[in-house]
Amino acid sequence: MILDEKSILIIDDSDTIRTYLQNVLVQKGASTVRCAATAQEGLAMCAEHTYDLILLDLFLPDTDGIEVLKDIRATNDVSTIVMITGYGGIKSAIAAVQMGADGYIEKQDITSTQRDHIDFLYALDQAMEHRAGVAAQKQLEQIRTELYAMVTHDLRNPTSLILMTTDVLLYDEVEPSQQRQMIELIDTAGQRLIRLINDYLDFAKIDAGYLRLDMGTVDLIQVVESSARFARLQAQAKQQTLTVTVPPAPVNARVDAERLRQVLDNLLSNAIKYTPQGERIALQLSLDGGQAVFRVSDTGPGISPEHLPKLFTKYFRVPGETTRGIAGTGLGLLIAKEIVEAHGGTVEVQSEGVAGKGTTFTVTIPLRGAEGEAGASPPPEPTPAAVAVDDSAGEQDLKLREIFWRETQRHLSMLEEALKSPQLLAGNPELLDKARQASHTLKGNAGAMQMDALVELVAQVDSTLQRAANGTLVLAQADIDRLRDILNRIRAMAADEGIF
Ligand code: ADP
């Protein structure tokens, strides 16, 4: 139900309208419905609580409804606001929409009980959808701004360093011993740039629901050793000791060795980066039942428990001393988690947040499916967020995937239109909500959540068609044909993309 769990405020001077609306809205599932008879009262209530939905009369005794709307919108762009108009108030209602209302409804439509208030509820639903669209757009713009700021800021420093150092090498007289130091500086800045770019690219792929695993059977000890070789150099530069412990016999598993190494590289480089000079880092591989367990621990500053839940979210960096002056994007752990989960594994962190007691990251990867293993089962299917592709074709595929999602959205709009048919609305009113929700989820994104929403929606439309076929739902043949046509197109596109 569209009003389930919604908190609603009615600002209207008419007793009859308030009581009537309150009854209908509670009956339709709203969790709270509060009322105000004047603008002043309404504004005071808005200052106390952010309502999901506000029904606002255009003509209030103390102030014009449009003025109230402006006041609410000055601090609140989250609530859906629907104007209630009397007969002939449409012009003012349209003006209100231009000033931030999400819709309007005439009083006579509210009190009409026709078709169980379906028109009234539909108007509210449309308005809430409009607000959700505004919010999604705002969020997208914010992400874009953040990303631009971060990319320009993060890329600028190492690039300036490279340019300045090459300038000195080219135009100044530099001692041969200093020349080497400068080249090393350029090398470090270059490495940093490539890591930043890779992080952003990986993140974009994950966000687009598209990070490919290239699975093969490998000995995990080799992956550990290769990652440790690289980390040892970084650790040496900070006079840290890196201890590596592995089982005596090979540990064969079906994994994407490159991606798994990337996970270990990230955990090790974090341990080295955030742990002070001279401390200890350990990497351990062990077996636990049918799982390989990787542990990366350090004796660094630790991470305080309040920050642990946010650690694997995008752009998150622990604020304060531990990260000050240490370069990072706050994307590494999120990428690591996605890669591990795409292998059917888990990643966890333990830390008491006590300096010296350090942090331990534990990654588990299921061993099933390795060739030659007794009772081996097929390798885990990559999750939708980690569909298999080859890195060189990555950019091209990313574009194709974008086109797929855009087309899917177009088809979902067609589906929404088809679902507005009266018979469908009456026989299955929730389906239109589901289609709208799926459209929302898809807007501006295309990740695992989007994929799930799409798969669920297709299954529901399918079951509606089946109900029509076996006679439990009566539908016009034209509606059946239209739905089937749209469903087939979505399915064909998805099959081309290897989704379902
Ligand atoms: P970053 O690029 O900032 O290192 P990550 O996603 O890899 O991004 O890590 C997120 C944050 O987690 C880091 O910014 C840091 O604050 C914290 N962190 C990660 N590993 C450690 C560690 N071993 N010790 C202390 N803090 C850590």
Side-chain angles (χ1 to χ4, degrees), residues 7-22:
S7 64
I8 304 179
L9 173 66
I10 305 162
I11 311 179
D12 198 306
D13 62 330
S14 152
D15 250 350
T16 331
I17 289 282
R18 285 199 310 270
T19 317
Y20 185 83
L21 272 177
Q22 196 165 22

Side-chain angles (χ1 to χ4, degrees), residues 186-461:
I186 295 175
D187 185 54
T188 313
Q191 301 269 6
R192 169 146 173 65
L193 273 178
I194 201 76
R195 213 195 121 199
L196 278 172
I197 292 166
N198 285 340
D199 267 9
Y200 286 124
L201 277 179
D202 282 347
F203 174 61
K205 284 183 190 169
I206 287 168
D207 215 29
Y210 186 64
L211 177 77
R212 171 162 184 153
L213 292 187
D214 196 357
M215 305 292 262
T217 299
V218 284
D219 176 8
L220 297 181
I221 296 180
Q222 310 235 327
V223 181
V224 164
E225 280 171 353
S226 138
S227 188
R229 259 196 302 279
F230 184 66
R232 197 159 274 127
L233 296 175
Q234 294 172 273
Q236 270 164 8
K238 279 184 86 175
Q239 284 99 46
Q240 293 163 331
T241 346
L242 171 64
T243 323
V244 181
T245 322
V246 292
V251 181
N252 288 334
R254 253 188 93 68
V255 294
D256 180 330
E258 258 318 296
R259 288 288 182 193
L260 189 59
R261 199 167 69 99
Q262 185 184 349
V263 171
L264 297 181
D265 283 353
N266 181 259
L267 296 179
L268 283 171
S269 106
N270 276 352
I272 296 164
K273 252 186 345 183
Y274 298 111
T275 299
Q277 217 105 335
E279 294 285 331
R280 280 164 292 130
I281 318 289
L283 168 61
Q284 187 193 43
L285 169 62
S286 58
L287 293 172
D288 181 8
Q291 291 186 321
V293 182
F294 301 85
R295 268 197 194 88
V296 177
S297 48
D298 60 60
T299 52
I303 301 166
S304 77
E306 69 184 287
H307 295 308
L308 293 178
K310 288 175 259 162
L311 219 55
F312 297 94
T313 57
K314 66 182 166 189
Y315 306 135
F316 180 77
R317 306 197 71 208
V318 173
E321 267 313 301
T322 47
T323 47
R324 192 158 300 141
I326 299 177
T329 55
L331 291 174
L333 286 178
L334 179 143
I335 295 168
K337 184 167 180 270
E338 290 284 341
I339 294 174
V340 171
E341 287 181 354
H343 280 87
T346 59
V347 51
E348 278 168 15
V349 57
Q350 281 160 326
S351 182
E352 292 170 35
V354 176
K357 285 202 172 180
T359 310
T360 301
F361 284 90
T362 308
V363 170
T364 61
I365 298 281
L367 284 174
R368 60 174 186 241
E371 279 154 28
E373 232 196 301
S377 53
E381 281 296 315
T383 63
V387 183
V389 268
D390 138 22
D391 252 358
S392 59
E395 299 318 311
Q396 178 69 11
D397 286 341
L398 203 59
K399 281 212 184 77
L400 289 176
R401 189 50 65 101
E402 268 171 20
I403 294 169
F404 162 73
W405 284 111
R406 220 178 303 136
E407 275 300 286
T408 308
Q409 282 206 6
R410 207 168 60 79
H411 282 83
L412 284 185
S413 306
M414 283 160 51
L415 184 64
E416 267 178 50
E417 279 310 305
L419 292 175
K420 282 180 196 161
S421 123
Q423 268 180 334
L424 270 166
L425 269 182
N428 207 343
E430 276 173 24
L431 202 53
L432 181 58
D433 287 338
K434 287 268 170 356
R436 289 197 177 123
Q437 273 165 19
S439 274
H440 270 312
T441 316
L442 252 64
K443 262 176 207 141
N445 298 291
M449 230 170 87
Q450 285 70 14
M451 202 88 72
D452 288 346
L454 186 64
V455 172
E456 197 197 339
L457 180 66
V458 165
Q460 272 165 353
V461 177

Side-chain angles (χ1 to χ4, degrees), residues 55 82-86 90 93 103-110 119-121 123-124:
L55 294 167
V82 175
M83 306 305 291
I84 304 174
T85 72
I90 296 299
Y104 57 84
I105 181 142
E106 289 190 57
K107 277 189 182 160
Q108 56 267 38
D109 285 339
I110 298 176
D119 294 334
F120 171 51
L121 293 176
L124 296 188

Side-chain angles (χ1 to χ4, degrees), residues 33-44:
V33 183
R34 300 192 63 200
C35 295
T38 63
Q40 206 186 3
E41 207 186 324
L43 284 172

